[in-house]
Amino acid sequence: MSKISFIGLGNMGAPMALNLAKAGHALAVHDLVPASVARLAEAGARAAASAYDAVAGADIVITMLPASRHVEGLYLGDDLLSHIDTSALVIECSTIAPETARKVATAAQARGIAMLDAPVSGGTAGAAAGTLTFIVGGEADSLSRARPVLEQMGKNIFHAGPAGAGQVAKICNNMLLGVLMAGTAEALALGVANGLDPKVLSDIVAKSSGRNWATELYNPWPGVMDHAPASKGYAGGFGSDLMLKDLGLAAEAAQATRSAIPLGALARNLYAMHGAAGHGGLDFSSILKLYKPD
């Protein structure tokens, strides 16, 4: 088993790290929230006093952080790379700007450290179940080395291309997800306003040409799917503020390449309005509240 360092134990990182602990790896964990570290320590992980302590002697370093500035700050600002052994493999699982991923990967390469950007899809449920999708950028040889560990946290692993490619693919996926969720919520609200039962309409759409991931697995209307965040007060899941962040990353990528993303830009504006109304901490399916405030 590998000696693994895991930094960042939020809603996604904690269950990912827990699966590695259950797999029997020698796991060192660190987070700025002591309670998060304590929960992993109860599962057998070593509670590291700092990020530097966590990576000491690690074969594999995994990070799952909120945004680009945190990743760049940790690896470059705090110079974590200088504390990582050159024989180690770094797997950066945060969803960040492709340019940030490339910048950090270049710095790692300059120190002789192999690094992958490997953002994930599948949400907190997938993280807990170990069924995440990993979207990987970096060298194929490094991915081959990472695969046995990734397979203990996920079921699908894709090599998108060189450094930064994993982030580009993830941004494209989440932009489409934001558009689909906003459109699904809008269609359901229209149907209900015109007298339809939301469950009946959802069943119809799920078997018709409007079917999508939201109608099949993550319905935004409360009570339609018992397991969905919508039926739990929009608690847990993938936060609206995080969706807004990812849509912002898509906008930045579009600007850098002069690409047109009219629907992506509209979805970003809708989630910005939603967050400004005080719903940023709710699951992103709560965008339904724009169409059904009550």
Side-chain angles (χ1 to χ4, degrees), residues 225-236:
M225 292 180 177
D226 291 340
H227 66 274
S231 297
K232 302 173 183 177
Y234 298 106

Side-chain angles (χ1 to χ4, degrees), residues 3-292:
K3 186 175 182 181
I4 300 176
S5 165
F6 204 112
I7 301 172
L9 304 173
N11 290 336
M12 293 295 292
M16 291 168 65
L18 183 59
N19 283 328
L20 294 178
K22 290 177 178 177
H25 293 286
L27 189 67
V29 297
H30 179 67
D31 192 273
L32 296 180
V33 180
S36 298
V37 176
R39 283 193 291 271
L40 265 296
E42 291 174 359
R46 179 176 71 86
S50 67
Y52 305 132
D53 178 29
V55 303
D59 302 315
I60 295 176
V61 176
I62 302 174
T63 48
M64 175 61 89
L65 303 173
S68 298
R69 68 181 185 277
H70 302 104
V71 172
E72 189 167 342
L74 178 66
Y75 283 107
L76 304 183
D78 293 340
D79 198 20
L80 185 67
L81 288 173
S82 68
H83 294 260
I84 297 173
D85 193 276
T86 55
S87 65
L89 172 64
V90 176
I91 306 173
E92 215 303 295
C93 293
S94 318
T95 299
I96 56 177
E99 186 54 39
T100 298
R102 296 185 190 107
K103 182 177 181 179
V104 177
T106 298
Q109 184 179 27
R111 292 185 178 273
I113 299 170
M115 185 170 194
L116 298 170
D117 52 282
V120 303
S121 181
T124 54
T131 58
L132 292 171
T133 293
F134 285 90
I135 308 166
V136 184
E139 297 293 331
D141 288 346
S142 296
L143 175 55
S144 295
R145 182 179 168 190
R147 190 175 290 274
V149 171
L150 298 181
E151 287 175 344
Q152 291 171 336
M153 299 182 286
K155 293 298 184 184
N156 302 293
I157 301 169
F158 294 98
H159 189 200
Q167 300 297 343
V168 174
K170 174 64 186 296
I171 289 168
C172 292
N173 177 80
N174 276 26
M175 182 181 74
L176 180 57
L177 177 60
V179 170
L180 288 173
M181 184 58 78
T184 299
E186 185 173 302
L188 291 176
L190 175 63
V192 171
N194 281 274
L196 294 183
D197 181 285
K199 177 68 166 63
V200 172
L201 178 56
S202 295
D203 289 344
I204 292 169
V205 172
K207 299 299 182 181
S208 303
S209 55
R211 65 185 296 187
N212 63 73
W213 184 81
T215 58
E216 293 182 1
L217 299 173
Y218 213 89
N219 198 289
W221 200 279
V224 172
M225 292 180 177
D226 291 340
H227 66 274
S231 297
K232 302 173 183 177
Y234 298 106
F238 182 62
S240 293
D241 279 345
L242 291 176
M243 174 56 77
L244 177 60
K245 182 205 78 171
D246 289 357
L247 291 168
L249 291 174
E252 291 174 9
Q255 185 174 13
T257 55
R258 300 181 65 129
S259 301
I261 53 164
L263 292 179
L266 176 57
R268 185 201 171 279
N269 287 338
L270 291 173
Y271 274 96
M273 292 168 56
H274 187 51
H279 305 307
L282 299 179
D283 179 75
F284 81 109
S285 61
S286 65
I287 194 73
L288 180 77
K289 289 180 176 291
L290 281 180
Y291 308 101
K292 184 181 178 295

